[in-house]
């Protein structure tokens, strides 16, 4: 018997509900609006929903103008009301998947999102998890919750995993032109999920199971973690032996194959690179294995703020008993105001531990862990360029000959600037 597989485009209306309106969910909403979907962005943080509906974007990659146009046209609204998912033919889950206090996966927000949407799902809805997690999360955690709490037993649902790959602050790669991995639990779900992502993205890559998609996402981010750790470790060796690591990286980059340049820095931050590889190490332990390589990389990166603090102190005249140090850029990476897991927090703590008075400046971060920024006139013995932010006038400091430890390799050939 031939089974007719409904595709998303067969539905009368293209209504998408996105659970979580953050760095992943809101850009997805705007990409879907551009592709002709009507989008309901659901978030349980009421203040954020109010902010979004007033046309003020909480993420750098979405402008207020774009957001307002989507709201005014009636194509988008944010809501705290999960019952709105009843209108949707597709629901995507884009909520955080952090670590708990033991640095192990904390899926409580994901489980909470699944439990909150389940009572309102309509028949024939596609539910996709975009949140990063270990293999088996869709099949063993999300699906059982939704199936247990859905309004009626005979409601037929489709499920897929399509881990988000967005890189906030990246002006080249976005939701549309980044190929999307799609792995579903059965053929019908796969066809629906592929149709959905092909309506938004230029390319959707089909994989055989949700577990392959989930594992691929962990591999991608772990690849970054270990390569950053390698270069951070290598930097320390080069510095100890008087070799300029950046010249070495440039030299190695002249090889047209088999090498990819990574640069040293204060460490790794954000919601992905320091977190996702620990989903992998945990998953390894659950399966009786040890991901030693990844654990070492994590350790090396976590030691970097201490190393940077020591390098900074080595640059300061030892007669200064309480040096004034200005940190430039506290967000975890350039171009965003995101301070989650920023390694600059540890850097600041080590500097204070070593006896410094520390202030900070970041044009994209209004407040940070209860403190306010200073401007670039703050008198300092040394500045540490931790994150190069657009609009940060570092030349005001180089111009007056301030001693700078540049952890971003962005100031070239300046007599008072030393690169990490
Ligand atoms: N930020 C990135 O660069 C990035 C890139 C790729 C993948 N991811 C993954 O995407 C997922 C989301 O990350 P993000 O950076 O968008 O997070 P975020 O913190 O920016 O946004 C998540 C939003 O979800 C809301 N939320 C939390 N729990 C909820 C619930 N139970 N119901 C409804 N709303 C809820 C929060 O209020 C928040 O607004 C994570 O798994 C992350 O690892 C993030």
């Amino acid at each position: 018997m031939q089974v007719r597989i409904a595709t998303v485009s067969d539905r009368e209306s293209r209504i998408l509900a996105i659970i979580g309106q953050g760095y992943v969910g809101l850009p997805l909403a705007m990409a879907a609006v551009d592709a002709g979907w009507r989008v309901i962005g659901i978030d349980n943080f009421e203040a954020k929903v109010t902010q979004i509906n007033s046309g003020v974007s909480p993420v750098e990659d979405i402008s207020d103008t774009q957001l307002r146009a989507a709201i005014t046209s009636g194509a988008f609204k944010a809501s705290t009301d999960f019952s709105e998912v009843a209108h949707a033919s597709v629901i995507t889950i884009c909520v955080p998947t952090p670590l708990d206090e033991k640095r192990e996966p904390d899926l409580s927000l994901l489980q909470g999102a699944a439990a909150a949407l389940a009572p309102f799902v309509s028949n024939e809805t596609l539910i996709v998890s975009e949140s990063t997690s270990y293999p088996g999360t869709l099949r063993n955690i999300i699906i059982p919750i939704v199936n247990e709490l859905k309004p009626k037993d005979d409601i037929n649902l489709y499920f897929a995993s399509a881990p988000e790959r967005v890189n906030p602050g990246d002006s080249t790669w976005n939701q549309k032109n980044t190929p999307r991995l799609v792995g579903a639990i059965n053929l019908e779900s796969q066809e629906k999920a592929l149709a959905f992502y092909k309506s938004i993205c230029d390319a959707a890559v089909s994989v055989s199971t949700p577990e392959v998609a989930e594992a691929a996402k962990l591999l991608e981010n772990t690849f970054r973690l270990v390569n950053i750790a390698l270069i951070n470790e290598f930097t320390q060796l080069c510095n100890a032996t008087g070799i300029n690591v950046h010249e070495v990286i440039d030299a190695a980059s002249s090889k047209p194959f088999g090498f990819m340049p990574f640069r040293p820095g204060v460490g790794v931050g954000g919601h992905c690179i320091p977190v996702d590889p620990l989903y992998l190490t945990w998953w390894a332990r659950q399966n009786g294995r040890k991901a030693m390589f990844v654990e070492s990389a994590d350790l090396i990166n976590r030691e970097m703020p201490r190393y940077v603090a020591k390098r900074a102190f080595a640059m300061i005249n030892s007669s200064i008993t309480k040096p004034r140090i200005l940190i430039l850029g506290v967000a975890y990476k350039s171009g965003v105001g995101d301070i989650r897991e920023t390694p600059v927090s540890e850097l600041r703590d080590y500097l204070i531990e070593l006896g410094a008075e520390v202030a900070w400046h970041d044009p994209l971060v209004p407040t940070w862990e209860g403190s306010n920024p200073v401007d670039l006139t703050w008198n300092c013995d040394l500045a540490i360029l931790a994150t190069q932010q657009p609009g940060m006038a570092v030349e005001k400091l180089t111009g007056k000959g301030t001693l700078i430890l540049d952890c971003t390799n962005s100031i070239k050939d300046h007599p008072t600037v030393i690169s990490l």
Side-chain angles (χ1 to χ4, degrees):
M1 192 185 77
Q2 201 161 22
V3 182
R4 185 178 167 280
I5 299 165
T7 65
V8 170
S9 56
D10 288 335
R11 304 291 291 264
E12 277 175 30
S13 59
R14 303 213 298 174
I15 299 183
L16 164 66
I18 303 175
I19 315 298
Q21 288 296 285
Y23 282 92
V24 165
L26 190 60
L28 174 69
M30 295 303 110
V33 165
D34 285 348
W37 286 79
R38 201 147 74 70
V39 181
I40 307 155
I42 295 173
D43 202 291
N44 62 3
F45 184 17
E46 199 168 344
K48 193 178 226 178
V49 167
T50 307
Q51 177 186 340
I52 291 173
N53 282 333
S54 72
V56 179
S57 170
V59 300
E60 296 83 5
D61 290 340
I62 300 301
S63 70
D64 293 353
T65 314
Q66 184 182 9
L67 179 59
R68 281 176 196 162
I71 295 169
T72 314
S73 69
F76 173 73
K77 69 168 182 186
S79 173
T80 53
D81 182 1
F82 277 83
S83 72
E84 298 262 10
V85 305
H87 304 295
S89 54
V90 180
I91 302 171
T92 61
I93 305 175
C94 306
V95 299
T97 42
L99 298 172
D100 63 16
E101 64 288 344
K102 289 194 289 188
R103 303 187 80 231
E104 291 183 351
D106 174 2
L107 296 188
S108 57
L109 299 175
L110 193 58
Q111 290 167 306
L117 71 86
F120 305 106
V121 287
S122 298
N123 196 26
E124 299 288 306
T125 300
L126 167 68
I127 299 175
V128 185
S129 178
E130 294 206 358
S131 292
T132 305
S133 189
Y134 53 84
T137 300
L138 178 77
R139 201 183 296 273
N140 303 326
I141 296 191
I142 296 176
I143 295 178
I145 292 174
V146 175
N147 279 340
E148 196 194 325
L149 299 175
K150 65 186 180 184
K152 287 194 210 140
D153 278 350
D154 61 355
I155 281 183
N156 185 34
L157 298 171
Y158 304 95
F159 292 96
S161 167
E164 177 56 70
R165 291 165 148 175
V166 74
N167 183 21
D170 188 331
S171 54
T172 306
W173 296 105
N174 52 44
Q175 307 253 357
K176 184 163 188 318
N177 64 8
T178 305
R180 179 67 78 131
L181 290 181
V182 177
I185 53 160
N186 53 33
L187 191 56
E188 292 92 334
S189 299
Q190 185 72 359
E191 296 232 344
K192 274 179 166 283
L194 285 172
F196 168 63
Y197 282 104
K198 282 180 182 166
S199 77
I200 292 175
C201 309
D202 295 344
V205 179
S206 182
V207 297
S208 60
T209 62
E211 288 75 19
V212 171
E214 290 163 331
K217 174 69 192 182
L218 294 190
L219 176 62
E220 290 166 17
N221 282 356
T222 303
F223 172 86
R224 286 190 59 75
L225 179 95
V226 298
N227 279 288
I228 292 168
L230 171 66
I231 216 67
N232 280 336
E233 186 178 65
F234 187 71
T235 296
Q236 298 179 41
L237 175 62
C238 283
N239 183 260
T241 54
I243 295 172
N244 180 333
V245 70
H246 295 287
E247 198 182 344
V248 178
I249 298 167
D250 291 344
S253 301
S254 66
K255 186 180 177 191
F257 53 89
F259 183 78
M260 188 184 280
F262 284 80
R263 299 280 167 181
V266 180
V268 289
H271 187 20
C272 296
I273 308 301
V275 174
D276 303 350
L278 297 192
Y279 273 62
L280 192 157
T281 56
W282 181 86
W283 177 54
R285 288 197 296 280
Q286 297 310 299
N287 288 285
R289 323 288 301 188
K290 201 160 190 266
M292 289 191 296
F293 196 51
V294 187
E295 286 180 6
S296 300
D298 174 50
L299 265 179
I300 291 166
N301 288 332
R302 284 201 287 140
E303 275 302 308
M304 277 311 280
R306 190 191 294 274
Y307 172 74
V308 172
K310 284 186 185 153
R311 285 276 303 268
F313 262 75
M315 288 171 67
I316 297 168
N317 189 325
S318 56
S319 65
I320 304 173
T321 47
K322 194 171 177 63
R324 287 163 63 91
I325 298 181
L326 175 60
I327 300 177
L328 303 169
V330 299
Y332 81 92
K333 73 169 181 176
S334 176
V336 298
D338 192 348
I339 48 173
R340 290 176 300 179
E341 315 277 336
T342 177
V344 186
S345 295
E346 276 84 49
L347 170 62
R348 175 207 51 207
D349 294 348
Y350 289 131
L351 292 169
I352 292 171
E353 210 175 284
L354 290 171
E357 181 182 348
V358 181
W360 62 277
H361 176 86
D362 189 320
L364 298 185
V365 180
T367 61
W368 178 43
E369 297 177 7
S371 72
N372 293 321
V374 296
D375 66 25
L376 294 177
T377 58
W378 194 77
N379 207 6
C380 63
D381 299 300
L382 174 97
I384 301 175
L385 181 51
T387 304
Q388 178 60 280
Q389 291 287 38
M392 195 161 66
V394 182
E395 65 281 0
K396 282 190 182 157
L397 299 182
T398 48
K400 63 180 182 190
T402 303
L403 202 54
I404 298 177
L405 174 59
D406 177 11
C407 305
T408 66
N409 191 36
S410 55
I411 308 173
K412 309 281 180 211
D413 302 324
H414 193 282
T416 62
V417 179
I418 291 181
S419 274
L420 194 61

